[in-house]
């Protein structure tokens, strides 16, 4: 075996071992894309708007379009007024949503919760958008009383809301309806809501009584990560926005024969194919079964820890279980995400009850 081959083999073994004990981060490890292997012998570039039809043909726009249609369908659309594309991940989707919002309403303020993803303040800085962070309730949800108080003293600016649908640390879902009530009660003539649905965007549609966050619910754009509940070996995501809003910001570029509506020029052509394949393999019912299985494992964690008098909890419709922070040894061994005195386990499809039982033996020993 050559040196480089040994190096690759060692790296593969290392990654495999680390993947087996990855219970603290929300990347779904259950998929098999081997049927798509041949496509990795080809360069695919999803240059430009997925709906465009320019001279460049080595692209997977038709698959990308179907991915967007699936996401629009499961989240709800009104009058076919939607458009979207496959992004590099949730962060790009949030940036896109805020970009559309800023182009629509330059004289505005963005409201986001203190527990929003760390990318939000960064994106706001990049886009130079004035913003105010709103406090959260103990379960991690945006505090609507605080929101209303803050809105009341900023009535001359159009409010743009960044609602989190499944916060990073606690899996909390900000209330879109609650935000809309504030807008109505304070009689704002215009507003914009983007939902950062990185993880729970592929959970809520499969839970019967879950609140909506789609275009049909009055949201103007939302984004979902592809490497989370969708399942993809490489980071990607989906952003969906109201078509009539996007139409106002795209410009036609002759060189690519397409509208330049997306943030990146050259775009990954393989990830839309992966997401499309995942959708064909799972379908709505397949994802529903997967999500229900994840919620059952999340409840198993809570029940098992309760037997040891350790309080673990989760938000409704969330696979994120919050636990007291363990020692560094446990954090490293099980790749647990932490924040101050709390930690969490994210019960993704690859996290099994058997794995959890092994974790609990370690964790209980550590905590008692
Ligand atoms: C709520 C939330 N938003 C956005 C992101 C960023 O997504 P990505 O890593 O796909 O850019 C994450 C990632 O964990 C997240 O939890």
């Amino acid at each position: 075996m050559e040196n480089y081959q040994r190096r690759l083999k060692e790296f593969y073994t290392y990654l495999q071992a680390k993947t087996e004990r990855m219970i603290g981060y929300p990347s779904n490890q259950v998929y098999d894309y081997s049927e798509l292997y041949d496509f990795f012998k080809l360069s695919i570039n999803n240059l430009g708007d997925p709906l465009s039809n320019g001279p460049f043909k080595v692209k997977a726009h038709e698959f990308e379009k179907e991915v967007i249609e699936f996401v629009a369908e499961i989240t709800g659309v009104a009058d076919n007024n939607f458009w979207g594309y496959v992004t590099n991940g949730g962060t790009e989707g949030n940036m896109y949503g805020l970009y559309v919002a800023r182009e629509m309403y330059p004289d505005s303020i963005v409201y986001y919760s203190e527990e929003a993803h760390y990318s939000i303040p960064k994106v706001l800085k990049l886009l130079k958008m004035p913003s105010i962070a709103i406090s959260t309730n103990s379960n991690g949800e945006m505090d609507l009383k605080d929101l209303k108080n803050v809105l009341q003293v900023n009535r001359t600016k159009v409010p743009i809301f960044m609602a989190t649908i499944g916060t990073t640390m606690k899996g909390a879902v900000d209330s879109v309806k609650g935000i809309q009530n504030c807008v109505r009660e304070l009689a704002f003539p215009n507003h914009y809501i983007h939902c950062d649905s990185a993880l729970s965007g592929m959970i809520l549609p499969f839970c019967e009584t879950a609140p909506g966050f789609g275009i049909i619910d009055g949201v103007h754009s939302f984004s979902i990560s592809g490497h989370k509940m969708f399942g993809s070996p490489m980071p990607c995501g989906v952003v969906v926005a109201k078509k009539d809003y996007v139409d106002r910001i795209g410009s036609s570029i002759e060189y690519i024969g397409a509208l330049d509506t997306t943030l990146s020029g050259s775009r990954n052509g393989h990830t839309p194919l992966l997401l499309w394949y995942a959708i064909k393999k799972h379908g709505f019912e397949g994802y529903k079964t997967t999500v229900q299985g994840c919620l059952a494992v999340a409840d198993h964690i809570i029940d098992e820890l309760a037997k040891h008098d350790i309080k673990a909890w989760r938000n409704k419709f969330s696979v994120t279980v919050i636990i007291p922070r363990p020692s560094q040894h446990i954090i490293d061994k099980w790749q647990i995400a932490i924040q101050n005195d709390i930690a969490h386990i994210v019960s993704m499809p690859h996290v099994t009850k058997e794995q959890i039982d092994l974790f609990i033996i370690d964790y209980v020993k550590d905590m008692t």
Side-chain angles (χ1 to χ4, degrees):
M1 192 185 280
E2 302 238 8
N3 236 350
Y4 80 91
Q5 289 172 317
R6 196 169 304 114
R7 177 108 188 261
L8 285 176
K9 193 164 184 288
E10 278 169 14
F11 184 49
Y12 187 79
T13 311
Y14 166 85
L15 285 180
Q16 254 188 332
K18 292 295 174 201
T19 301
E20 269 169 32
R21 289 223 197 99
M22 215 277 287
I23 64 171
Y25 291 88
S27 60
N28 177 358
Q29 309 282 332
V30 182
Y31 47 75
D32 179 1
Y33 290 113
S34 46
E35 208 176 338
L36 298 184
Y37 174 73
D38 278 349
F39 290 97
F40 287 88
K41 297 177 196 161
L42 299 168
S43 304
I44 317 174
N45 189 333
N46 268 19
L47 193 60
D49 189 301
L51 300 183
S52 62
N53 193 18
F56 180 73
K57 301 295 179 207
V58 193
K59 60 189 184 184
H61 276 175
E62 62 180 280
F63 294 90
E64 182 172 21
K65 205 171 132 260
E66 286 181 37
V67 170
I68 301 305
E69 280 165 1
F70 174 80
V71 170
E73 194 181 312
I74 64 169
T75 51
V77 284
D79 309 327
N80 266 346
N81 184 0
F82 71 94
W83 175 90
Y85 73 96
V86 173
T87 61
N88 283 318
T91 302
E92 183 184 336
N94 289 337
M95 184 160 186
Y96 191 79
L98 285 173
Y99 167 57
V100 175
R102 192 198 64 185
E103 294 303 289
M104 289 291 301
Y105 302 115
D107 193 21
S108 51
I109 297 178
V110 179
Y111 301 91
Y112 65 102
S113 99
E114 275 172 357
E115 299 201 35
H117 189 251
Y118 63 84
S119 63
I120 306 301
K122 176 176 61 189
V123 168
L124 290 169
K125 202 168 165 189
L126 280 166
L127 291 172
K128 291 193 185 328
M129 295 172 84
S131 63
I132 297 176
I134 304 297
S135 59
T136 49
N137 298 331
S138 58
N139 74 333
E141 225 178 292
M142 186 186 278
D143 180 343
L144 294 172
K145 268 201 211 112
D146 187 33
L147 176 67
K148 199 166 169 191
N149 288 339
V150 174
L151 284 170
Q152 232 149 6
V153 292
N154 290 287
R155 296 177 83 132
T156 56
K157 306 277 181 192
V158 176
I160 295 173
F161 303 96
M162 169 61 68
T164 309
I165 306 299
T167 57
T168 310
M169 207 53 206
K170 298 180 185 157
V173 175
D174 290 342
S175 170
V176 169
K177 277 216 170 94
I179 290 171
Q180 288 164 333
N181 286 342
C182 290
V183 169
R184 205 169 304 120
E185 283 162 25
L186 296 172
F188 278 100
N190 293 306
H191 74 284
Y192 187 106
I193 302 177
H194 175 86
C195 287
D196 171 7
S197 330
L199 172 59
S200 298
M202 275 297 282
I203 296 177
L204 266 51
F206 308 106
C207 299
E208 259 143 43
T209 55
F213 62 94
I215 304 292
I216 204 160
D217 303 291
V219 161
H220 303 86
S221 57
F222 65 88
S223 59
I224 302 177
S225 294
H227 50 288
K228 295 193 172 112
M229 197 52 91
F230 254 117
S232 155
M234 56 197 88
C236 59
V238 167
V239 66
V240 174
K242 286 186 72 169
K243 188 170 182 322
D244 51 351
Y245 282 31
V246 174
D247 285 347
R248 298 193 203 178
I249 63 168
S251 52
S252 182
I253 308 293
E254 191 180 10
Y255 172 67
I256 58 169
L259 270 179
D260 188 23
T261 39
T262 57
L263 284 188
S264 299
S266 288
R267 295 187 299 112
N268 197 321
H270 288 90
T271 48
L273 208 52
L274 296 175
L275 297 182
W276 178 87
Y277 184 82
I279 291 165
K280 291 293 157 202
K281 282 285 179 183
H282 293 273
F284 182 87
E285 289 305 322
Y287 273 118
K288 188 171 177 181
T289 306
T290 300
V291 165
Q292 296 305 324
C294 292
L295 292 169
V297 173
D299 285 335
H300 175 73
I301 302 168
I302 296 169
D303 295 345
E304 288 303 306
L305 288 176
K307 289 180 191 164
H308 299 277
D309 290 328
I310 297 175
K311 183 163 167 42
W313 63 278
R314 69 173 177 92
N315 273 296
K316 209 172 170 189
F317 314 120
S318 169
V319 297
T320 304
V321 179
I322 296 94
I323 57 174
R325 179 178 176 142
S327 70
Q328 196 59 39
H329 164 68
I330 300 292
I331 291 167
D332 291 338
K333 181 172 174 184
W334 291 94
Q335 299 171 63
I336 303 290
I338 45 165
Q339 191 178 71
N340 304 323
D341 55 348
I342 61 167
H344 72 204
I345 300 169
V346 191
S347 161
M348 296 302 284
H350 62 279
V351 177
T352 62
K353 282 188 181 171
E354 293 70 29
Q355 231 176 347
I356 290 301
D357 293 342
L358 289 175
F359 163 75
I360 285 176
I361 294 170
D362 272 359
Y363 181 74
V364 169
K365 211 184 291 171
D366 185 63
M367 298 299 286
T368 49

